[in-house]
């Protein structure tokens, strides 16, 4: 941390992805600019394949997200258990990366290791809905909406913790759902599972919403920051 603080202090300009992170970094530098995370516009046209005989709930990440799953794991596990009693289609979990210790033990559960290339990774996502649990910690307050943006880019409705990072991006009931209490995880998964047409409508709305967050749409902010 001392090295990072020193390098920040001797820089000409510091750029970060969120306003809370900017507030932290301003301890060491007065000239901090927020440049929001963005996506290439061509990725909005990507289409991922998904299975029609099952409802796939997806998440990607690593062991550093263990705390994020502490509150979400049990209600999601209970929801998966209930789906086995009422089966319009089978619900399954599909994860990428590394599964944290607190991740719910659900069945069926497919797991895929990280792909060798970013395009291969995105094209191998076969989800109907993406999960985005986030623990409301001081560290996470500085995070961005990137996980929800990537889901929207690919047309996935997202069920996300109602924290600063996702609350400012997800339009509740339109591009995804925000979770205020643990039982909401099962509530919104049930809503999407029982209404396949809603998955398509919300997914398309999410993709349209993501158009405001393309590199082409926000690139002028980079130009302004560096030429200033």
């Amino acid at each position: 941390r001392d090295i990072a603080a020193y390098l920040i202090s001797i820089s000409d300009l510091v750029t970060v992805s969120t306003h809370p992170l900017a507030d932290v970094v301003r301890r060491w530098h007065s000239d901090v600019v927020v440049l929001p995370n963005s996506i290439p516009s061509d990725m909005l046209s990507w289409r991922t394949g998904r299975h029609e005989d099952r409802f796939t709930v997806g998440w990607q990440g690593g062991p550093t997200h263990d705390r994020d799953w502490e509150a979400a794991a049990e209600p999601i596990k209970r929801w998966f258990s209930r789906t086995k009693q009422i089966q319009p289609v089978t619900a399954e979990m599909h994860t990428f990366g590394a599964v944290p210790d607190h991740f719910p033990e659900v069945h069926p559960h497919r797991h895929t290791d990280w792909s060798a290339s970013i395009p291969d990774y995105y094209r191998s996502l076969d989800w109907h809905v993406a999960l985005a649990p986030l623990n409301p910690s001081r560290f996470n307050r500085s995070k961005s909406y990137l996980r929800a943006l990537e889901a929207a880019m690919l047309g996935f409705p997202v069920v996300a913790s109602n924290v600063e990072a996702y609350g400012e991006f997800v339009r509740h009931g339109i591009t995804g759902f925000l979770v205020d209490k643990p039982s909401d995880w099962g509530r919104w998964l049930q809503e999407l599972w029982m209404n396949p047409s809603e998955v398509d409508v919300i997914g398309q709305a999410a993709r349209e919403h993501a158009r405001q967050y393309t590199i082409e749409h926000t690139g002028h902010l980079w130009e302004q920051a560096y030429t200033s």
Side-chain angles (χ1 to χ4, degrees):
R1 186 179 67 174
D2 290 343
I3 293 173
Y6 171 70
L7 293 175
I8 288 171
S9 70
I10 65 171
S11 298
D12 296 303
L13 173 71
V14 184
T15 65
V16 296
S17 58
T18 68
H19 289 284
L21 186 55
D23 292 339
V24 173
V25 174
R26 286 193 181 100
R27 299 180 208 167
W28 300 286
H29 203 291
S30 60
D31 196 359
V32 181
V33 177
V34 176
L35 298 178
N37 283 323
S38 305
I39 55 171
S41 61
D42 69 294
M43 296 184 77
L44 292 168
S45 64
W46 287 20
R47 294 294 184 271
T48 60
R50 66 188 188 195
H51 305 280
E52 298 302 325
D53 62 341
R54 69 193 80 165
F55 178 77
T56 305
V57 180
W59 180 83
Q60 60 82 13
T64 58
H65 290 279
D66 192 49
R67 290 284 305 277
D68 298 329
W69 277 100
E70 286 182 345
E74 189 57 34
I76 290 175
K77 180 180 178 179
R78 287 198 301 269
W79 179 78
F80 267 90
S81 296
R82 290 197 303 270
T83 64
K84 293 178 173 54
Q85 303 170 17
I86 311 170
Q87 295 190 3
V89 292
T90 299
E92 67 164 0
M93 180 74 76
H94 185 193
T95 54
F96 277 78
V99 179
D101 291 339
H102 280 94
F103 198 84
E105 294 183 9
V106 299
H107 303 282
H109 178 183
R110 284 187 292 129
H111 180 72
T112 305
D113 291 330
W114 289 120
S115 174
S117 73
I118 292 175
D120 287 345
Y121 158 69
Y122 283 122
R123 289 195 170 96
S124 61
L125 299 179
D126 56 1
W127 306 342
H128 290 80
V129 57
L131 296 177
L134 197 62
N135 179 47
S137 65
R138 182 182 178 190
F139 176 80
N140 282 344
R141 186 170 180 268
S142 292
K143 287 191 173 183
S144 78
Y145 47 69
L146 184 58
R147 183 182 296 274
L149 173 58
E150 288 183 327
M153 169 187 78
L154 297 173
F156 301 145
V158 66
V159 180
S161 300
N162 192 7
V163 294
E164 189 163 358
Y166 301 138
E168 67 179 31
F169 178 82
V170 178
R171 300 168 66 189
H172 182 70
I174 299 174
T175 66
F177 294 99
L178 293 169
V179 171
D180 291 308
K181 55 185 183 296
S183 61
D184 284 346
W185 292 105
R187 176 184 180 184
W188 302 127
L189 284 173
Q190 182 78 3
E191 173 75 19
L192 293 166
W193 181 55
M194 296 296 291
N195 299 281
S197 61
E198 190 173 2
V199 173
D200 295 329
V201 171
I202 293 179
Q204 183 57 37
R207 199 190 295 267
E208 289 302 313
H209 183 51
R211 292 188 185 280
Q212 304 173 44
Y213 298 84
T214 63
I215 293 172
E216 290 80 358
H217 188 76
T218 61
H220 67 283
L221 299 176
W222 270 259
E223 182 182 21
Q224 291 173 4
Y226 290 115
T227 58
S228 67

